[in-house]
Amino acid sequence: MPKQLFPSETLLHGAEKSKRVFFIFLSFYVTSVSLEMRTFAEINTAKKKKMASIEIRKVTTRRDLDTFIQVHYDLYRGNKFDAPNLYRDEVRTFSKDKNAAFEFCEADYFVAFRDGKAVGRVAAIINRRANEQWQRQSVRFGWLDFEDNPDVSRALLDTVAMWGRERGMTEIVGPLGFTDMDPEGMLTRGFDQLGTMATGYNHPYYPQHMEQMGGWEKDNDYVEYKLYVPKEGMPEKFLKIAEMVQKRYNLHTVKIKRSQIFGKDQYGRKVFDVVNRTFGHLYGYSEMSDHQIDEYVKMYYPVLDMNLLCIVEDWNTPGHDVVGVGITIPSLTRALQKCRNGRLWPFGWWHVLRALKMRKTDVVDLLLIGVLPEYRKKGANSLLFYDLIPWYQKYGFKWGETHVEMETNDKVQSQWQYLDHEQHKRRRCYKKPL
């Protein structure tokens, strides 16, 4: 007859069974934790290796500078919105013996490498004239480019911050160039819009990196507009205001010859004097020196279509003072995209020539539109477009791209009210205390 278990024995048997289950569970838990800790350790090791593979090198030779310039061409190859600058123009901009901005600026350039490949770049700049004018101790970061890797963007900006801190700066701001004649602001809206030579373009992930890094805040926002050229005729408001301004204030538009830019009339210098006086009060602006003006005159005027340049003069003054200027050019973006690595040779020159001389583009870029403050309230701005719109129509331009405008600059933006227009791009300058 089988042996019957007493209640106490039943409890003991259950306890033994529970004990075995507990130890099995404990063994499984310890093994899982061990595997999980190993996984975390492997992840951390991988992260450290990834961080360790990012190397920042300072540009010290011409070969280094070529690498710095090449980064942008590589990151944007095939991009249908970017306007890559010509290689020779980039070399001039970054060369201390060729760029007159170095009279009052200090700069160094850095390239980020990942596993031996150049994957990012940045310029560290101190514009001492602007800092003095605006009572700030700012180091600027400019020409910032990077692959979609937070370690790269952070390493580049940390390098600029350290560089500025070593020189006594208390904040880092940007993207900004040496002066207002360089690209400003990081594109935050309008990634599907055609870029311009003067304003630049960046991938959508750039501002995402700035937000993810933390510590950065808005310093200034810019807006840009697309202005649609009337298919025929002149907007009635422009026509009435322009005719009134000419009669009431004796202000007139003038077409000049190329010889007058460099000759005794010195229209080239007069134009940039207006630019200095017009933009002097705007964010971060530093007045152009005589040497800089000479550089820009030699750089821009030889390639200008003089029909797309408009001068406004005050004929009440003995010398017919220049009080307003409009410098516009056919868009070169599509042509520049066909210049491999920014070179004009072997075929790039042909595409640029077609855009400049044959005007094989639908777009006109408004490089510089400036009227002295005391003449804006007189309606002098209307005279510029009273003169230029008929030429845009003759050349077959469909729309114009404005330069960057501060979002708070209502006076400038109000001049577009008589044209069909669209605010299609936005840019931001960031700042961070050091």
Side-chain angles (χ1 to χ4, degrees):
M1 184 177 181
K3 185 178 181 181
Q4 297 292 325
L5 293 175
F6 289 90
S8 59
E9 290 177 302
T10 304
L11 290 173
L12 181 60
H13 178 73
E16 289 294 333
K17 187 176 180 180
S18 298
K19 188 176 180 181
R20 286 198 300 271
V21 171
F22 171 76
F23 279 113
I24 291 171
F25 173 77
L26 181 62
S27 175
F28 174 77
Y29 175 78
V30 170
T31 303
S32 299
V33 170
S34 177
L35 288 171
E36 193 172 352
M37 289 178 66
R38 194 183 316 150
T39 303
F40 285 147
E42 288 171 353
I43 291 172
N44 288 331
T45 301
K47 284 184 177 180
K48 288 179 181 178
K49 286 182 178 179
K50 188 177 180 182
M51 283 291 291
S53 67
I54 306 301
E55 180 187 0
I56 305 297
R57 301 178 194 170
K58 179 181 172 181
V59 171
T60 58
T61 67
R62 175 57 184 268
R63 186 174 181 179
D64 293 342
L65 183 59
D66 286 346
T67 301
F68 179 88
I69 295 170
Q70 186 65 34
V71 167
H72 185 88
Y73 298 139
D74 291 342
L75 284 176
Y76 288 86
R77 196 175 308 283
N79 187 289
K80 62 182 180 180
F81 304 114
D82 180 52
N85 285 323
L86 291 175
Y87 169 78
R88 67 178 188 181
D89 290 341
E90 295 288 80
V91 170
R92 185 206 64 79
T93 297
F94 299 123
S95 296
K96 297 180 181 180
D97 60 338
K98 296 177 181 177
N99 188 345
F102 279 98
E103 292 176 355
F104 50 87
C105 287
E106 178 184 359
D108 275 316
Y109 317 120
F110 301 92
V111 179
F113 290 84
R114 178 178 51 78
D115 300 327
K117 178 184 177 182
V119 293
R121 69 171 188 176
V122 72
I125 303 166
I126 296 176
N127 182 327
R128 301 196 182 281
R129 179 177 291 174
N131 280 351
E132 181 178 349
Q133 178 177 346
W134 297 99
Q135 296 297 299
R136 298 175 71 167
Q137 293 297 312
S138 305
V139 56
R140 303 178 171 198
F141 69 88
W143 289 279
L144 176 67
D145 282 312
F146 49 86
E147 67 175 8
D148 192 4
N149 182 335
D151 295 331
V152 175
S153 53
R154 185 183 297 276
L156 287 167
L157 291 171
D158 284 350
T159 299
V160 177
M162 184 182 301
W163 187 90
R165 202 178 291 115
E166 290 171 352
R167 288 158 178 78
M169 300 298 103
T170 59
E171 65 175 357
I172 176 173
V173 298
L176 290 169
F178 296 100
T179 70
D180 271 35
M181 301 299 285
D182 299 314
E184 299 177 306
M186 181 178 290
L187 193 66
T188 58
R189 176 191 166 199
F191 300 106
D192 60 346
Q193 298 292 324
L194 193 67
T196 70
M197 184 175 63
T199 58
Y201 180 85
N202 58 259
H203 289 302
Y205 61 79
Y206 281 35
Q208 294 172 8
H209 280 225
M210 300 300 292
E211 298 300 325
Q212 291 167 5
M213 276 187 276
W216 294 93
E217 60 184 55
K218 168 184 170 181
D219 195 28
N220 182 56
D221 269 12
Y222 300 101
V223 293
E224 296 171 58
Y225 288 83
K226 180 182 287 188
L227 311 176
Y228 294 96
V229 178
K231 292 183 179 180
E232 58 183 25
M234 179 73 60
E236 187 176 351
K237 283 283 188 180
F238 265 133
L239 185 62
K240 288 182 178 180
I241 294 174
E243 290 176 347
M244 180 272 293
V245 168
Q246 292 179 85
K247 292 178 181 178
R248 181 177 298 179
Y249 300 112
N250 204 18
L251 303 180
H252 300 275
T253 59
V254 177
K255 287 298 187 188
I256 61 174
K257 298 178 181 179
R258 207 175 302 276
S259 59
Q260 292 177 282
I261 293 173
F262 303 100
K264 65 177 182 179
D265 295 318
Q266 287 291 303
Y267 269 99
R269 295 192 64 83
K270 291 177 181 177
V271 163
F272 281 101
D273 178 59
V274 169
V275 172
N276 266 338
R277 294 164 61 191
T278 299
F279 300 114
H281 67 289
L282 297 180
Y283 168 86
Y285 188 82
S286 60
E287 184 175 323
M288 287 181 285
S289 66
D290 290 342
H291 189 183
Q292 278 183 288
I293 290 175
D294 289 340
E295 275 191 353
Y296 290 129
V297 168
K298 292 175 183 176
M299 186 189 312
Y300 289 117
Y301 283 106
V303 299
L304 286 181
D305 181 331
M306 302 308 290
N307 293 325
L308 301 180
L309 170 66
C310 179
I311 304 292
V312 177
E313 292 183 340
D314 183 351
W315 285 10
N316 295 303
T317 60
H320 288 190
D321 293 347
V322 175
V323 299
V325 58
I327 301 177
T328 66
I329 63 170
S331 172
L332 295 179
T333 300
R334 295 301 185 205
L336 292 171
Q337 290 173 349
K338 296 173 182 177
C339 297
R340 183 171 176 80
N341 294 335
R343 268 67 170 187
L344 288 172
W345 299 101
F347 306 114
W349 65 272
W350 171 245
H351 299 292
V352 173
L353 183 66
R354 289 180 79 241
L356 283 174
K357 301 300 182 182
M358 305 177 197
R359 297 171 292 278
K360 297 296 183 180
T361 176
D362 294 332
V363 187
V364 59
D365 287 348
L366 281 58
L367 284 185
L368 283 173
I369 303 294
V371 174
L372 295 180
E374 59 269 32
Y375 288 89
R376 288 179 206 149
K377 57 187 177 183
K378 296 180 179 179
N381 298 60
S382 64
L383 292 177
L384 294 173
F385 294 97
Y386 175 78
D387 174 88
L388 291 170
I389 285 176
W391 287 106
Y392 296 164
Q393 293 168 332
K394 182 178 180 179
Y395 286 174
F397 296 135
K398 295 181 179 179
W399 78 84
E401 290 275 349
T402 71
H403 207 308
V404 295
E405 304 166 9
M406 291 178 62
E407 65 173 348
T408 56
N409 198 339
D410 297 331
K411 292 180 180 178
V412 169
Q413 292 156 30
S414 66
Q415 68 185 325
W416 314 134
Q417 62 183 308
Y418 303 125
L419 292 170
D420 287 337
H421 62 279
E422 174 189 352
Q423 194 260 295
H424 64 318
K425 296 179 192 173
R426 180 174 286 269
R427 297 176 187 275
R428 173 161 293 182
C429 276
Y430 296 87
K431 67 179 179 179
K432 183 180 181 180
L434 296 178

